[in-house]
Amino acid sequence: MKILFLDQSGTLGGAELCLLDIAAPYRHESLMGLLSDGPFRERLEQQGFSTKVFTTEAIDVRKESGFLKSLSSLGQLFPLVQAVADTAREYDLIYANTPKALVVGAFASLLSRRPLAYHLHDIIASEHFSKINRIVLITLANRFASRVIANSEASQRAFVAAGGRSQLCKVIYNGFHTEQYDLSTLGTAIQAQQLRDSLGLGERFFLVGHFSRLSPWKGQHVLLDAVKQCPPEVVVILVGDALFGEQAYVKQLHEQVDRLELGDRVRFLGFRSDIPELMSACDLVVHTSTAPEPFGRVIVEAMLCGTPVIAAAAGGATELVSPGRTGWLCAENEPSTLAETILNCKASPDQMQEIAQQAKAEALSRFDVNSINRLIQEQLNKIVR
Ligand code: UDP
């Protein structure tokens, strides 16, 4: 099947990492159409994908933008749609992977008469989208998409609650190359120890990892407040960078570290590509989103590494973690409860290990990339005849 994949991002967020895996089986006859340039294109090309950047200017349909802003971008939208539609005629299907890709892909699908699939990686609700953008996305999906693949029940529920047609929607979780997270050999155990040594955090410490782009709703500030309430041996690595220009938040986090006098207990590691190694070196992985997480790849990745995980109790995270069996769920935005949960985990290492092993076994059976890709393939085969 020849697919024109469309993604708005030049950076490597969760939706883009997921797309890399979904698109891999179609790599040789498909094209990755990007609406902005950046490290995502470089990663795609390294992995043998053909890519085409359709615009060098970012289109101004931000998640939080209002009606006027959306309208002002129509001038840019038309030539873009035309260019995508011209390209789409050479493919069997348009696969829109992000909201802006849906906007462009929907009109391109109309012009090129090619079917459209939309992979919904978002919770279309007021926490994440302005009212006008919710209306635009739902209307376009209802009118033009032959299938909406939702990354969780939570994303599907929000889609339907916002007016999306439920019969369009199919929930398929993200898939993972599970073997890449299994670092339980002696060599990698030594590597993990070297990593811990290199952090310069002293001899004996309890390492809590947070893996996410730095963004207010990802809640790194909640973890810092929680750590302040824990004894000094509890230390933190914040892995990830501000991918969408949230520099003010990064500054705020550094100020918070200074204000709370946590300078010797917190390390900012920036964007990293050695996630399995880093997660395996942690005693605990913590996820602290303050708005419902559509899926939460980092939660599954921690499970696959065999590292215990505490997640914020909302959205897709509640479908990934069974509290007390495969991890812990903690109320969003509550540093004291989080601190208490971290300390309970620290105090019961045997229970932590048992839960982490149960989580690993479950993640291995639920999120294998080949099984997930077969489910996607079945859906696409129904659309392209
Ligand atoms: N990630 C990464 N390097 C980093 C931080 C995060 O590769 O420094 C990856 C992480 O392993 C996960 C993805 O980025 O696969 C984030 O996906 P998630 O669903 O957790 O959040 P999203 O970015 O989609 O909101």
Side-chain angles (χ1 to χ4, degrees):
M1 190 183 301
K2 293 175 70 179
I3 305 180
L4 172 59
F5 293 97
L6 274 186
D7 191 288
Q8 70 198 46
S9 184
T11 55
L12 279 161
E16 289 66 38
L17 292 167
C18 172
L19 185 61
L20 275 170
D21 290 333
I22 288 173
Y26 306 97
R27 179 170 21 208
H28 298 299
E29 44 195 7
S30 295
L31 179 67
M32 275 291 172
L34 303 179
L35 304 184
S36 38
D37 202 357
F40 182 37
R41 179 185 54 75
E42 288 161 23
R43 178 76 74 91
L44 284 163
E45 288 174 1
Q46 277 162 15
Q47 296 193 7
F49 287 94
S50 303
T51 64
K52 181 167 177 175
V53 179
F54 280 97
T55 175
T56 48
E57 294 168 51
I59 30 170
D60 208 3
V61 189
R62 287 174 199 227
K63 280 188 174 182
E64 68 278 13
S65 76
F67 186 47
L68 288 175
K69 237 176 175 180
S70 304
L71 275 186
S72 72
S73 51
L74 284 183
Q76 293 170 8
L77 194 56
F78 186 73
L80 185 59
V81 166
Q82 192 70 57
V84 172
D86 287 345
T87 303
R89 289 192 182 91
E90 294 164 36
Y91 294 85
D92 303 314
L93 170 76
I94 301 174
Y95 192 103
N97 195 53
T98 55
K100 289 176 203 171
L102 170 66
V103 175
V104 176
F107 294 117
S109 146
L110 177 71
L111 294 184
S112 64
R113 296 170 181 275
R114 292 295 180 275
L116 173 75
Y118 174 40
H119 200 138
L120 175 64
H121 295 277
D122 292 286
I123 290 196
I124 305 186
S126 57
E127 295 98 332
H128 296 285
F129 291 89
S130 69
K131 186 167 183 206
I132 182 64
N133 284 344
R134 296 201 299 273
I135 294 172
V136 168
L137 294 176
I138 296 292
T139 308
L140 292 178
N142 278 347
R143 171 71 184 81
F144 295 105
S146 300
R147 181 56 92 218
V148 173
I149 294 168
N151 65 350
S152 66
E153 307 266 351
S155 297
Q156 180 187 40
R157 263 196 311 278
F159 177 76
V160 174
R165 282 162 48 207
S166 60
Q167 61 277 29
L168 264 187
C169 217
K170 171 88 186 158
V171 174
I172 303 182
Y173 291 126
N174 281 205
F176 295 81
H177 292 277
T178 55
E179 69 289 351
Q180 289 175 3
Y181 297 87
D182 188 4
L183 305 184
S184 53
T185 61
L186 181 62
T188 49
I190 292 170
Q191 247 181 315
Q193 189 51 48
Q194 283 169 348
L195 248 168
R196 288 170 70 98
D197 294 344
S198 72
L199 294 171
L201 286 164
E203 288 285 282
R204 296 183 65 75
F205 53 80
F206 185 81
L207 182 57
V208 178
H210 190 292
F211 296 78
S212 178
R213 58 199 153 89
L214 302 180
S215 171
W217 79 273
K218 291 292 189 179
Q220 283 87 356
H221 58 284
V222 179
L223 175 58
L224 295 181
D225 280 340
V227 167
K228 182 63 185 172
Q229 298 174 36
C230 296
E233 67 271 21
V234 177
V235 298
V236 167
I237 51 172
L238 296 177
V239 182
D241 211 344
L243 294 187
F244 305 114
E246 295 104 332
Q247 290 309 328
Y249 183 63
V250 178
K251 189 162 170 268
Q252 194 182 308
L253 287 174
H254 283 279
E255 284 166 1
Q256 188 182 359
V257 168
D258 291 343
R259 192 176 63 252
L260 299 176
E261 299 179 341
L262 289 174
D264 54 349
R265 293 171 59 191
V266 177
R267 295 283 176 272
F268 289 82
L269 300 192
F271 186 88
R272 300 278 294 235
S273 298
D274 52 350
I275 298 298
E277 288 79 1
L278 286 167
M279 281 187 173
S280 303
C282 289
D283 295 299
L284 187 64
V285 166
V286 169
H287 162 270
T288 55
S289 294
T290 58
E293 184 75 58
F295 178 72
R297 290 177 60 87
V298 292
I299 299 168
V300 176
E301 290 169 331
M303 289 168 135
L304 289 170
C305 288
T307 304
V309 63
I310 303 175
T318 61
E319 298 161 46
L320 307 178
V321 173
S322 302
R325 192 174 62 81
T326 58
W328 292 265
L329 289 176
C330 201
E332 296 164 277
N333 222 346
E334 280 192 19
S336 302
T337 322
L338 180 59
E340 206 180 302
T341 316
I342 292 173
L343 293 180
N344 285 342
C345 290
K346 181 172 175 293
S348 11
D350 292 344
Q351 192 203 5
M352 262 206 330
Q353 277 324 309
E354 192 187 326
I355 287 185
Q357 287 316 310
Q358 278 162 200
K360 182 171 179 167
E362 185 165 307
L364 283 171
S365 74
R366 287 177 78 195
F367 303 109
D368 170 65
V369 73
N370 297 315
S371 316
I372 298 289
N373 275 352
R374 270 195 295 278
L375 297 177
I376 301 263
Q377 193 182 9
E378 273 172 28
Q379 295 303 317
L380 302 187
N381 286 343
K382 286 182 192 166
I383 306 173
V384 177
R385 284 170 232 276

